[in-house]
């Protein structure tokens, strides 16, 4: 196994990118996403079906002998870049990455059947841990009483789209619970394309997946944090690209606005940040994909860097689009909301910097 990270995209990864981008261009127009956020069905079930079942993307991280595609985190990262560029309202990160990684840490027929179901795309899973919880951070659990689960969990991303929930309990186990056995109530969330929900368990029956919920949850959240950086890269890159395109067309004093030096400097700064974010995100994806000993380090670096880059790029897009960027009809606000929500997902940049300091033995005095 090579110890040197490979940050470049392979021909297969570029082909995958092109296929996903073409599909999203045809099925995920910005105007449709805005309309969907105003409706009672924020998730795009048809788009998910095409991505998951039609293209087989839901099973990228699942080995072929367990019903999946047998790809790696590198390919999943490419998909997430494109989903970030489109702010696609599908549960890919939460189901095909986070819930799938949790199940990969489990053994037994129940976990195997559920993993194959998620890989097929016909079943959507969600890990019942708050979206803001990072790898290794404390998270809430539910009470197990006579084989049934009781309690309440909040801030669960994409719970409304899930068919099955993976729920950590106080006894240290991880349980599979059918979504129709619990009460799921939407919560107000900044990013309406990845809605949050409160889940109430009232004697909900659960199937035990593993006795080591903490290990499964940590693995899932680490992969979620590491690959979230690729989604943030997609947000930042698209925000920059669209802003440059707009400033080339927008004229003031009979010349393109993009020709003004002050704006060139601002765009150049964002470009430098995006280049750095791409390196950090690719490093995290490669480390996860090769099961590198430096995976924890790579994930912490990627999240500490990519989160503020995505926010900055989206903020500049809103501002540099001028008045139109402030309107609800323009999609700039979708990217800013997703970037801001992502900045606290799976641990804040500050939390990852603290983790990074521990990993490299640079703790504060």
């Amino acid at each position: 196994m090579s110890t040197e990270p490979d940050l470049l995209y392979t021909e297969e990864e570029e082909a995958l990118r092109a296929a996903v981008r073409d599909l999203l261009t045809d099925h995920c127009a910005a105007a449709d996403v805005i309309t969907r956020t105003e409706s009672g069905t924020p998730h795009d079930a048809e788009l998910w079906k095409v991505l998951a079942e039609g293209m087989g993307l839901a099973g990228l991280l699942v080995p072929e002998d367990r019903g999946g595609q047998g790809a790696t985190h590198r390919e999943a990262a490419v998909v997430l870049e494109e989903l970030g560029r489109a702010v696609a309202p599908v549960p890919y990160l939460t189901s095909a990455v986070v819930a799938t990684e949790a199940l990969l840490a489990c053994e037994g027929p129940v976990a195997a059947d559920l993993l194959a179901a998620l890989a097929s795309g016909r079943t959507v899973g969600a890990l019942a841990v708050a979206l803001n919880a990072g790898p290794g951070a404390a998270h809430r659990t539910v009470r197990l009483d006579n084989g049934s689960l009781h309690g309440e969990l909040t801030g669960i991303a994409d719970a409304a789209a899930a068919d099955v929930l993976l729920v950590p309990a106080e006894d240290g186990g991880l349980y599979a619970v059918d979504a129709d056995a619990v009460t799921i109530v939407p919560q107000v969330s900044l990013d309406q394309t990845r809605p949050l929900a409160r889940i109430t368990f009232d004697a909900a029956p659960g199937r035990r997946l593993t006795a080591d919920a903490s290990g499964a949850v940590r693995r899932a959240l680490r992969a979620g944090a590491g690959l979230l950086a690729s989604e943030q890269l997609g947000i930042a890159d698209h925000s920059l690209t669209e802003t440059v395109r707009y400033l080339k067309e927008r004229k003031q004093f009979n010349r393109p606005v993009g020709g003004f030096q002050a704006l060139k400097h601002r765009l150049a700064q964002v470009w430098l940040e995006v280049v750095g974010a791409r390196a950090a995100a690719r490093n995290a994806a490669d480390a996860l994909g090769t099961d590198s000993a430096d995976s924890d380090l790579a994930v912490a670096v990627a999240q500490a860097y990519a989160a503020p880059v995505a926010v900055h790029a989206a903020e500049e897009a809103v501002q540099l689009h001028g008045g139109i960027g402030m309107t609800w009809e323009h999609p700039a606000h979708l990217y800013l909301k997703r970037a801001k929500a992502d900045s606290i997902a799976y641990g804040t940049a500050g939390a990852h910097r603290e983790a990074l300091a521990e990993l490299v033995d640079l703790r504060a005095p």
Side-chain angles (χ1 to χ4, degrees):
M1 185 187 302
S2 174
T3 57
E4 294 295 327
D6 182 2
L7 307 187
L8 301 179
Y9 299 98
T10 65
E11 290 185 11
E12 292 78 8
E13 289 165 357
E14 290 291 5
L16 175 62
R17 177 197 305 284
V20 175
R21 185 175 296 186
D22 287 346
L23 186 148
L24 292 172
T25 299
D26 294 337
H27 294 84
C28 193
D32 294 337
V33 176
I34 294 173
T35 299
R36 190 167 288 280
T37 62
E38 298 174 319
S39 71
T41 55
H43 292 102
D44 191 337
E46 287 302 315
L47 176 59
W48 171 252
K49 185 175 182 178
V50 177
L51 287 167
E53 297 184 39
M55 296 187 69
L57 300 183
L60 285 182
L61 297 181
V62 181
E64 291 184 74
D65 60 359
R66 302 181 72 176
Q69 302 299 320
T72 72
H73 298 77
R74 291 175 57 94
E75 288 80 10
V78 170
V79 173
L80 280 165
E81 279 187 46
E82 294 308 310
L83 294 177
R85 288 179 61 89
V87 200
V90 293
Y92 187 84
L93 180 64
T94 48
S95 182
V97 174
V98 177
T100 295
E101 283 281 347
L103 287 172
L104 285 170
C106 303
E107 297 180 354
V110 175
D113 290 346
L114 192 51
L115 185 63
L118 261 63
S120 73
R122 289 186 288 274
T123 298
V124 174
L127 181 65
V129 173
L131 182 62
N132 65 333
H139 57 84
R140 295 180 62 183
T141 58
V142 295
R143 177 171 52 86
L144 180 67
D145 186 10
N146 293 325
S148 299
L149 301 175
H150 303 259
E152 184 177 272
L153 299 173
T154 59
I156 311 302
D158 291 334
D163 301 299
V164 63
L165 303 165
L166 310 182
V167 187
E170 289 178 353
D171 70 334
L174 186 68
Y175 294 82
V177 178
D178 292 335
D180 57 10
V182 301
T183 302
I184 299 176
V185 179
Q187 292 181 280
V188 177
S189 55
L190 175 63
D191 177 17
Q192 295 153 307
T193 62
R194 182 174 287 146
L196 306 179
R198 179 175 67 252
I199 306 174
T200 302
F201 300 82
D202 185 8
R207 294 161 287 164
R208 190 172 178 131
L209 298 168
T210 180
D212 181 22
S214 62
V217 169
R218 188 185 185 286
R219 171 175 175 166
L221 296 183
R222 184 181 71 165
L227 295 188
L228 178 65
S230 290
E231 177 179 288
Q232 291 163 327
L233 168 61
I235 293 168
D237 188 54
H238 180 79
S239 296
L240 174 61
T241 299
E242 286 302 298
T243 303
V244 170
R245 182 192 60 78
Y246 175 76
L247 293 182
K248 285 181 177 179
E249 298 174 353
R250 176 77 166 87
K251 290 187 177 181
Q252 195 172 63
F253 305 115
N254 206 30
R255 59 179 290 192
V257 174
F260 294 109
Q261 190 175 48
L263 299 190
K264 287 183 178 180
H265 287 175
R266 289 171 67 172
L267 293 171
Q269 180 59 41
V270 174
W271 182 84
L272 288 172
E273 293 175 3
V274 171
V275 170
R278 176 169 284 106
R282 293 302 294 166
N283 184 49
D286 185 72
L288 289 168
T290 58
D291 197 22
S292 168
D294 292 330
S295 292
D296 288 343
L297 186 67
V299 168
V301 169
Q303 267 307 300
Y305 189 82
V309 169
V311 172
H312 182 216
E315 288 176 340
E316 290 288 71
V318 171
Q319 292 183 20
L320 296 182
H321 273 80
I324 192 173
M326 302 291 179
T327 65
W328 192 257
E329 290 76 15
H330 194 278
H333 66 91
L334 294 176
Y335 292 87
L336 180 56
K337 290 172 183 175
R338 175 66 71 88
K340 291 292 285 185
D342 280 359
S343 70
I344 62 172
Y346 306 118
T348 63
H352 284 286
R353 281 193 291 269
E354 290 181 8
L356 181 61
E358 291 286 337
L359 289 168
V360 299
D361 198 27
L362 283 175
R363 294 178 293 274

